[in-house]
Amino acid sequence: TETTVATATPTQTPAETVETPPPLRNKVVFLLFDLTLSSERSIVRAKNIAKKIVKDAGKNTRFIVLTIESFRGLVFIGEGNSDNRESLIKTITEKVKKRRNSRFPAISLIASDLLSGGPASARGGNEKYDGEDMALFAEAWAKYYTRKNMNFYYAFETLYFSLNSIQDHKFVYFFSEGISRAMQGRGRSLAGAKGMDDYYLKGVADNLNRCGAVVFIVNSLGVLESYSSITSGEESLLFLARESGGTYLEGTSDQVVARLENFHHAYYEASFPDIPQPRGKTREITISPK
């Protein structure tokens, strides 16, 4: 009798599937400095905050440094990534320069400075100018600052087209004191009442809203000035944040940086592999915080 011995084939266990985390998504950070409306001390403070942001940035972060300058518009200053932050910090230190921007320029002082060469206070005022002279100065003053403000507004159209061409995740840090209460509507004899500023500020907000970026509007002066002060631009910055869907930040430099860090620690991107399904079906997803 022949006996056949069957050899058992060992059961093969499937290899465990090791899920690899998705690659870090590239992040592009725009550091935008307003040099056409902000005072000298405000610009210095904005640079300090920006350098701290660069220093604390994570990997895969690319920085683009831009300024808004009087009668030049949007100006490219430099770029770099988280691998060469020291060079980028040096660029911000040396190339983002302070500007002497008056938040509440008195017509009499401007007239004396322009025609006499030097501070009016050192020459005893502007006694040699009559009412007709001062009216002429006022008109020229209104025209000058209207042009200056328009230059500020149009810079955001250029920014929109630049941002819209980038597919990576985008952040915009806009450092500004905003348009002071004293400056809003000063060109009313030329371009209508204060509503002109509101109209163009709304255009700025729309460009920021449509660019696909997470927007932070930083009051670079901080809390050194009252909201009701004639030189305060907080009203215009709050308007921009509200209309653009951005986040408004103010306070000391450390407070601003701490708030930004808290935001980024709480920011997540959820991703998962797709499954075959007919087009047009809806995937229901539940996200539960721990």
Side-chain angles (χ1 to χ4, degrees):
T1 305
E2 292 186 4
T3 304
T4 303
V5 179
T7 304
T9 304
T11 304
Q12 294 183 346
T13 57
E16 293 185 3
T17 303
V18 179
E19 293 186 3
T20 56
L24 289 174
R25 189 175 178 186
N26 292 332
K27 180 194 300 184
V28 182
V29 174
F30 288 80
L31 300 173
L32 176 61
F33 298 89
D34 164 28
L35 305 186
T36 191
L37 301 175
S38 301
S39 61
E40 290 181 90
R41 63 176 179 174
S42 173
I43 295 169
V44 170
R45 190 167 174 274
K47 290 168 63 173
N48 290 335
I49 295 174
K51 286 186 281 189
K52 186 70 166 61
I53 292 172
V54 172
K55 184 178 178 181
D56 296 342
K59 296 180 179 180
N60 288 41
T61 303
R62 176 187 170 206
F63 288 93
I64 297 176
V65 184
L66 303 167
T67 57
I68 300 176
E69 302 187 18
S70 298
F71 310 111
R72 292 185 66 194
L74 192 67
V75 179
F76 173 79
I77 297 298
E79 64 179 319
N81 55 43
S82 46
D83 294 329
N84 60 351
R85 18 184 134 231
E86 292 304 321
S87 174
L88 190 59
I89 289 174
K90 183 179 179 182
T91 297
I92 295 172
T93 301
E94 296 179 353
K95 295 188 177 182
V96 179
K97 299 182 178 180
K98 297 184 293 184
R99 297 290 190 272
R100 184 188 173 195
N101 296 314
S102 175
R103 305 285 293 167
F104 180 41
I107 300 174
S108 59
L109 296 181
I110 291 175
S112 297
D113 285 350
L114 286 176
L115 301 184
S116 301
S121 58
R123 299 184 306 280
N126 59 310
E127 293 85 352
K128 61 183 178 179
Y129 304 118
D130 59 20
E132 186 175 344
D133 293 329
M134 297 307 292
L136 178 63
F137 297 148
E139 186 72 10
W141 177 77
K143 181 182 292 186
Y144 170 82
Y145 280 101
T146 297
R147 286 178 55 218
K148 192 173 184 181
N149 286 3
M150 293 302 295
N151 178 263
F152 170 82
Y153 299 137
Y154 289 147
F156 287 87
E157 293 186 5
T158 308
L159 178 68
Y160 163 73
F161 288 111
S162 300
L163 286 167
N164 210 34
S165 64
I166 296 175
Q167 300 302 316
D168 293 324
H169 203 36
K170 297 168 285 191
F171 290 82
V172 174
Y173 297 89
F174 173 48
F175 302 95
S176 176
E177 278 188 72
I179 300 176
S180 68
R181 295 163 68 91
M183 297 299 298
Q184 293 193 40
R186 285 297 182 176
R188 64 184 58 189
S189 61
L190 299 167
K194 178 179 176 297
M196 180 194 74
D197 294 289
D198 295 338
Y199 172 80
Y200 284 107
L201 274 175
K202 183 65 168 62
V204 170
D206 288 344
N207 282 320
L208 289 173
N209 182 271
R210 295 185 301 136
C211 69
V214 179
V215 177
F216 295 98
I217 296 175
V218 182
N219 185 340
S220 47
L221 187 61
V223 293
L224 304 177
E225 193 169 44
S226 168
Y227 175 87
S228 60
S229 170
I230 196 69
T231 57
S232 172
E234 184 176 350
E235 180 182 10
S236 63
L237 296 179
L238 286 169
F239 177 87
L240 281 181
R242 182 175 65 252
E243 295 296 320
S244 70
T247 300
Y248 173 76
L249 298 172
E250 67 173 13
T252 65
S253 298
D254 290 341
Q255 288 172 335
V256 170
V257 171
R259 282 197 62 191
L260 288 172
E261 288 177 346
N262 289 337
F263 175 87
H264 288 293
H265 289 162
Y267 179 82
Y268 296 91
E269 288 189 26
S271 63
F272 46 87
D274 200 6
I275 58 173
Q277 60 179 354
R279 179 177 296 182
K281 292 291 184 179
T282 301
R283 175 84 56 84
E284 292 187 0
I285 303 171
T286 301
I287 300 177
S288 301
K290 291 185 180 179

